[in-house]
C-alpha cells in the first residue's frame, strides 16, 4: 500500500520524504489555509522535493471554473493530481480532464455509489473519508470494503485512496482490505514507525554493548550532531 501524508506543511513532508517511506501528498483547502502561505508556492515546493504524487484541490463549484483551475494546477508540475469534489459538476469536469490525460483525485466521497461514478468518469483516485463517517456513527472501513469489491468486480483502474485516516488501526485495516493508498496526518505516520518494545529492546542492546571490547570505536555521533 502506498503511504501519503495529508498535510500542506512542507517541513512535515520533507521529514518523511527523507525517512524514505513517503509515496505522495494530499492537500485540501483547510490544510492549505493553516499554512498562511501562497498556495502555488506550497505545491511547487512539495513537488520540487521529488514527491511523485501531489494532490491539489480546486475551489470552483461549476464545471468551467473547475476546468480552469484544474488546468492551472496541472500546469504547475507533472506530479500534480487535481482534486475535484464529488458533485454532478465535479463528475463532468473529471470526465473532461481525464480525457485530456490530467489525473483527477475525486474527493469528499462518502458512498460506494459515488465511488462507482468516480471510476466511470475516469478518476485516477477516489478519496473516501472514513474518519468523518466514523464520526457520524457509520463504519468508514465498510465503505472501503464495498468500493474494493466493486472495483475488483469491474476491474476499474481507479485507485482507492483512503482519506480522513485518524489512527494506525485505520491504516492496518485499509491495508488488510487491499486499498491502494492511505493518506494520513504526520502524527499517524510517526506512530506507524514507533513501538515501545522496539525502544526497550534497543536500550537493552546498547546497555549490554557497553561491556563489549572493540578494536576501533566507529560508532558515535555523526557530523551533524557534533556541532
Ligand atoms: O484530505 C482529506 C481528508 O483526509 C481530511 O481528513 O481528518 O479532516 O476528516 P479529516
Amino acid at each position: 500500500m502506498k503511504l501519503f501524508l495529508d498535510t500542506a506543511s512542507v517541513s512535515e513532508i520533507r521529514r518523511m520524504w527523507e525517512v524514505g517511506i513517503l509515496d505522495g501528498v494530499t492537500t485540501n483547502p483547510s490544510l492549505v489555509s493553516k499554512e498562511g502561505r501562497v498556495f502555488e508556492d506550497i505545491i511547487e515546493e512539495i513537488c520540487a522535493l521529488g514527491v511523485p504524487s501531489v494532490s491539489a484541490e480546486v475551489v470552483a463549484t461549476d464545471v468551467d471554473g473547475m476546468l480552469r483551475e484544474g488546468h492551472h494546477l496541472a500546469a504547475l508540475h507533472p506530479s500534480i493530481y487535481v482534486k475535484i469534489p464529488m458533485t454532478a459538476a465535479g463528475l463532468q469536469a473529471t470526465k473532461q480532464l481525464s480525457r485530456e490525460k490530467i489525473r483527477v483525485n475525486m474527493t469528499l466521497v462518502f458512498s460506494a455509489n459515488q465511488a462507482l461514478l468516480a471510476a466511470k468518469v475516469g478518476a485516477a483516485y477516489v478519496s473516501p473519508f472514513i474518519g468523518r463517517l466514523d464520526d457520524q456513527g457509520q463504519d468508514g472501513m465498510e465503505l472501503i470494503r464495498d468500493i474494493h469489491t466493486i472495483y475488483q468486480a469491474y476491474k476499474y483502474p481507479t485507485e482507492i485512496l483512503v482519506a480522513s485516516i485518524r489512527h494506525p488501526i485505520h491504516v492496518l485495516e485499509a491495508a488488510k482490505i487491499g486499498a491502494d493508498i492511505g493518506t494520513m496526518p504526520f502524527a499517524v505516520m510517526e506512530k506507524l514507525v514507533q513501538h515501545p518494545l522496539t525502544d526497550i529492546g534497543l536500550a537493552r542492546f546498547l546497555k549490554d554493548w557497553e561491556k563489549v571490547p572493540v578494536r576501533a570505536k566507529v560508532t558515535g555521533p555523526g557530523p551533524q550532531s557534533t556541532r
Side-chain angles (χ1 to χ4, degrees):
M1 183 165 79
K2 285 176 270 188
L3 301 180
F4 285 15
L5 268 183
D6 196 26
T7 181
S9 160
V10 178
S11 60
E12 287 183 353
I13 294 162
R14 186 175 291 115
R15 174 82 192 98
M16 286 303 175
W17 183 246
E18 282 168 359
V19 173
I21 57 175
L22 191 63
D23 299 300
V25 168
T26 50
T27 66
N28 64 38
S30 307
L31 293 169
V32 171
S33 90
K34 279 206 273 183
E35 298 303 307
R37 299 184 52 206
V38 175
F39 176 39
E40 290 90 339
D41 290 351
I42 295 175
I43 296 299
E44 282 174 353
E45 269 181 48
I46 300 168
C47 292
L49 293 173
V51 179
S53 171
V54 179
S55 289
E57 189 157 343
V58 303
V59 288
T61 53
D62 63 300
V63 179
D64 286 347
M66 286 174 174
L67 291 175
R68 235 183 354 262
E69 287 183 33
H71 290 138
H72 169 67
L73 293 172
L76 292 177
H77 196 277
S79 299
I80 298 288
Y81 283 66
V82 177
K83 236 173 144 180
I84 299 218
M86 168 54 69
T87 59
L91 287 164
Q92 196 178 329
T94 299
K95 185 152 195 168
Q96 177 58 32
L97 291 171
S98 303
R99 277 199 194 112
E100 298 171 29
K101 307 280 177 237
I102 291 174
R103 295 162 303 185
V104 174
N105 174 356
M106 282 219 90
T107 189
L108 289 166
V109 168
F110 293 95
S111 79
N113 281 336
Q114 288 181 324
L116 172 64
L117 301 181
K120 285 181 72 70
V121 293
Y125 298 155
V126 66
S127 287
F129 280 26
I130 58 165
R132 292 192 195 182
L133 280 172
D134 289 354
D135 291 344
Q136 295 287 318
Q138 248 178 287
D139 182 2
M141 210 50 75
E142 195 55 44
L143 173 59
I144 304 305
R145 273 184 217 103
D146 285 348
I147 299 172
H148 191 253
T149 302
I150 293 167
Y151 282 12
Q152 293 247 306
Y154 294 97
K155 300 192 172 31
Y156 285 127
T158 304
E159 292 186 78
I160 304 172
L161 191 165
V162 182
S164 189
I165 281 177
R166 302 276 168 76
H167 48 71
I169 299 292
H170 274 154
V171 181
L172 177 65
E173 290 297 322
K176 279 159 65 177
I177 292 167
D180 303 281
I181 306 160
T183 191
M184 65 206 76
F186 182 85
V188 175
M189 196 174 279
E190 243 186 346
K191 285 183 190 153
L192 301 185
V193 179
Q194 297 158 350
H195 197 288
L197 289 178
T198 305
D199 299 340
I200 292 166
L202 180 60
R204 191 179 300 161
F205 284 156
L206 294 181
K207 183 104 196 73
D208 291 343
W209 191 248
E210 283 169 12
K211 293 173 262 170
V212 178
V214 289
R215 282 190 191 155
K217 192 169 164 37
V218 290
T219 54
Q224 278 173 330
S225 46
T226 50
R227 279 175 291 157

